[in-house]
Amino acid sequence: MGSFKKPIVKVQEEERVAEEDQPAKVIEWEDCEQELARLCSLTSALEEAKSKKSVLEEKLHSWIQIESESLSRSNELDQMREKLEHRKLLMGKMSMRSKVVKEKVRKQEEKLSGEIRSLLVGGSSLSVANKHMQDSSRSLAGEKGYGYLKNLQKSLRLRQQFMVSQVTLLYPVKVVVRKASEQEVESFRSSIKSGVPDGSKPLDQGTLTISGLHLTVVSFTKMSFFTDKKEVRRSSTALGYVAHAVSLIASYLQVPLRYPLRLGGSRSYIRDHSPSVEHSASSTSLDTVISTSSKPVEFPLFIEGQDSTRAAYAVFLLNKDLEQLLNFIGVKSLGPRHILANLKELTRTILSREYIDM
């Protein structure tokens, strides 16, 4: 814009300087008319030059305005180009994201299609299983169904109760109330029912007997010259009774005993297929025999003429058989030193009314 204004100002300045430098001209009267005519022509030429000048100025202003507008338009176009490039970058990023999302959607569709197929297969299997279940329900609801099975099971348990009742008549386990000896193995303490700790002994307590015979500790400790032979024989006979009762009840319940019995009255034995006896000074020879033999080992349920350790271990195994029968009918054992108490609890549970509905 400044480049267009500069030449006009310069011409006006030169004209002014030229007029000032010219000296005053003296005109003769004769030449006055001619000079006037020349001045008139110069004035008209000047007016014409001024009009052209104004026209040129207007054109120049219009050109300057057009130039400024073109510059602003050019700036706007540059900004628009920048925005367009930015939009192109955003569109490129969005296109990449759309491709990634499209790939994820495709994989998800494949996964869902596989799951739908699995669901269809599972639905068909479920319908088949449902049909089988309905058939089973109809068969169970029939004459030979669940009700028949329950009645048959009830009859079986009634039969088992009758047979076990015969065993209790043959080998009755009773409580004898008297002052117990410190050597009693079996005692029916009132602390079991009243909540008194086992360590506190009442003066009068119930001791358990089987067919009127007691089990005493002296039979399972070391024998001496002063040991009562009759007491030893009575304990052996009592263990024979327990062994016979356990064997009968196991056969009625159809439970194979973990430690089988070889009955012989007061000379009964119990077998251990994997014997394990703790090492001690008195059982070194026994441990050697057990470890070197892979066959079932028989342990005597009597002590006369036998090692007391073997007899004690036999009593332990007999109690384990009782514990097995108790667990079979859903009852806990009373402990490893309560053979007659466990036998009484076993028969009491089987002869109870709850046993029929188990």
Side-chain angles (χ1 to χ4, degrees), residues 269-285:
Y269 290 85
I270 190 167
R271 295 172 184 171
D272 187 6
H273 291 274
S274 56
S276 175
V277 180
E278 293 184 359
H279 291 278
S280 61
S282 62
S283 62
T284 306
S285 60

Side-chain angles (χ1 to χ4, degrees), residues 86-144:
H86 184 65
R87 293 286 178 84
K88 285 182 179 180
L89 291 175
L90 289 177
M91 289 297 292
K93 291 181 180 179
M94 291 178 67
S95 177
M96 292 297 295
R97 289 180 182 176
S98 66
K99 288 180 180 179
V100 173
V101 172
K102 188 176 181 180
E103 183 67 20
K104 287 183 179 179
V105 169
R106 185 184 64 80
K107 291 181 179 179
Q108 194 70 19
E109 286 179 351
E110 292 178 355
K111 183 179 178 181
L112 288 175
S113 63
E115 291 179 355
I116 290 171
R117 287 193 294 270
S118 300
L119 286 175
L120 291 175
V121 174
S124 61
S125 302
L126 183 61
S127 62
V128 173
N130 190 20
K131 185 178 179 181
H132 289 167
M133 185 179 68
Q134 291 176 358
D135 295 338
S136 301
S137 298
R138 283 193 293 269
S139 63
L140 286 174
E143 295 180 356
K144 299 294 183 179

